[in-house]
Amino acid sequence: MKKCNNCGAMMNEDAKFCTNCGAAFTETESNQNIDTSENSNSDANENQTSQMVQNVSNAVKSVEYDKVAKGYWKYFLMTLKNPSTSFTVTDKINGWIQFVLIAILNSLVSVSILTIMPTTESGIGLFFKLFFVQFIINVAVIGILFIFKNFVQKVSTPFNVVTSQYGGLLSINIILLLIVFISALISPIAMISIIMVGVVLVGIVNVIAFNMYLLNGKNNSKLDNFYVAVLANAVVLIIIAIITRIGMEMMIDQMLPYMFNQYMY
């Protein structure tokens, strides 16, 4: 179809004049109308192609997310049932999902318990602070395991694989933290016994998993796995001591002005 420049009526492409107003079509007008039609068709095709690409992209992302979720669920159930199978894991994603969930649950438990203290900060701000601290601690522990695995035991293992293998040993902590969190939601005071037992068990699992990863793993060095584990624990204790000292100094710095004001006035 082409458009009459005189009255705007739409005519067939082979029309020589406008049947509405009688104006004759020149060759230039015909070519312009053909070009306009071709451009319109081209734009329409580009829009359809763009929409199709977007739809395919969304579908691929949906499939990828679904694949990741199913992969993690399979990884979680496998390592929960048989934690020792963690040493056979070679994927590079599930471990990070595991530690993010552990940090989230740890933070939720801490917030639920701390909210009963009137002088303690509460809300989403406290949650994100605790989550950040928990995640950094987890990454630091993974870093220690990575260093000892690759440079002391001389077993080449990518950082992400160490994360997934070590994370698999901590699958039981997901269940324990869920129990503690639910107990804290019901009543932090009435359920204090369950909460304390759960928290202690989580700590024990962390220690066992850390040492089991070094003791049961492959070792290409002359240093026995037992001494490798002793050295790794010594490094962790030194780091804990440094962090504790810094934390106590910060606490004292914050408390001194308050104590000075109390005794002076």
Side-chain angles (χ1 to χ4, degrees):
M1 299 293 288
K2 58 185 178 181
K3 184 178 180 181
C4 176
N5 290 336
N6 186 47
C7 67
M10 301 301 296
M11 297 291 128
N12 293 329
E13 292 293 342
D14 58 351
K16 301 299 183 182
F17 60 89
C18 178
T19 57
N20 185 51
C21 66
F25 289 121
T26 63
E27 184 177 353
T28 302
E29 289 175 336
S30 298
N31 292 336
Q32 287 177 346
N33 285 317
I34 291 172
D35 291 342
T36 303
S37 177
E38 290 177 351
N39 290 335
S40 298
N41 291 334
S42 177
D43 291 341
N45 290 335
E46 289 180 2
N47 291 334
Q48 290 177 355
T49 303
S50 177
Q51 185 63 38
M52 187 180 298
V53 170
Q54 185 65 36
N55 291 338
V56 171
S57 177
N58 292 336
V60 170
K61 288 180 180 179
S62 177
V63 171
E64 287 177 351
Y65 294 147
D66 185 61
K67 184 178 179 181
V68 169
K70 289 181 178 178
Y72 170 74
W73 182 243
K74 182 179 179 181
Y75 160 86
F76 174 74
L77 292 178
M78 179 186 74
T79 54
L80 180 64
K81 183 179 180 181
N82 297 304
S84 297
T85 58
S86 301
F87 294 103
T88 64
V89 174
T90 57
D91 78 273
K92 302 178 181 180
I93 299 176
N94 292 327
W96 289 111
I97 299 175
Q98 184 92 311
F99 282 106
V100 167
L101 289 176
I102 289 174
I104 290 174
L105 288 171
N106 268 317
S107 302
L108 288 173
V109 168
S110 300
V111 170
S112 300
I113 296 174
L114 291 174
T115 49
I116 64 175
M117 302 178 184
T119 57
T120 304
E121 178 189 356
S122 61
I124 194 71
L126 177 61
F127 169 80
F128 280 114
K129 287 180 181 179
L130 292 171
F131 172 81
F132 178 76
V133 172
Q134 291 284 342
F135 191 75
I136 292 299
I137 290 173
N138 288 333
V139 172
V141 171
I142 297 168
I144 293 171
L145 289 174
F146 171 78
I147 291 172
F148 273 83
K149 176 65 69 175
N150 284 269
F151 301 104
V152 179
Q153 294 181 327
K154 298 180 179 179
V155 179
S156 180
T157 310
F159 191 88
N160 291 333
V161 174
V162 173
T163 303
S164 292
Q165 291 179 348
Y166 175 56
L169 297 173
L170 300 176
S171 291
I172 184 62
N173 275 357
I174 298 288
I175 305 298
L176 293 173
L177 288 170
L178 281 172
I179 294 173
V180 172
F181 177 57
I182 293 172
S183 301
L185 286 180
I186 295 172
S187 176
I189 298 176
M191 307 291 285
I192 187 64
S193 297
I194 296 177
I195 293 172
M196 291 300 296
V197 170
V199 170
V200 171
L201 282 175
V202 168
I204 292 173
V205 170
N206 284 332
V207 174
I208 292 174
F210 182 85
N211 287 284
M212 184 177 179
Y213 188 76
L214 293 172
L215 290 170
N216 288 5
K218 187 178 179 182
N219 187 356
N220 293 327
S221 71
K222 295 181 180 180
L223 187 64
D224 189 83
N225 279 343
F226 178 82
Y227 294 110
V228 172
V230 170
L231 287 174
N233 279 275
V235 171
V236 171
L237 290 174
I238 291 171
I239 294 174
I240 291 174
I242 293 172
I243 293 174
T244 302
R245 182 180 178 86
I246 294 173
M248 290 180 65
E249 290 178 352
M250 292 175 63
M251 187 180 298
I252 292 172
D253 290 340
Q254 291 178 352
M255 290 178 63
L256 280 177
Y258 172 78
M259 295 172 65
F260 179 79
N261 291 332
Q262 287 292 319
Y263 285 107
M264 291 296 296
Y265 301 101

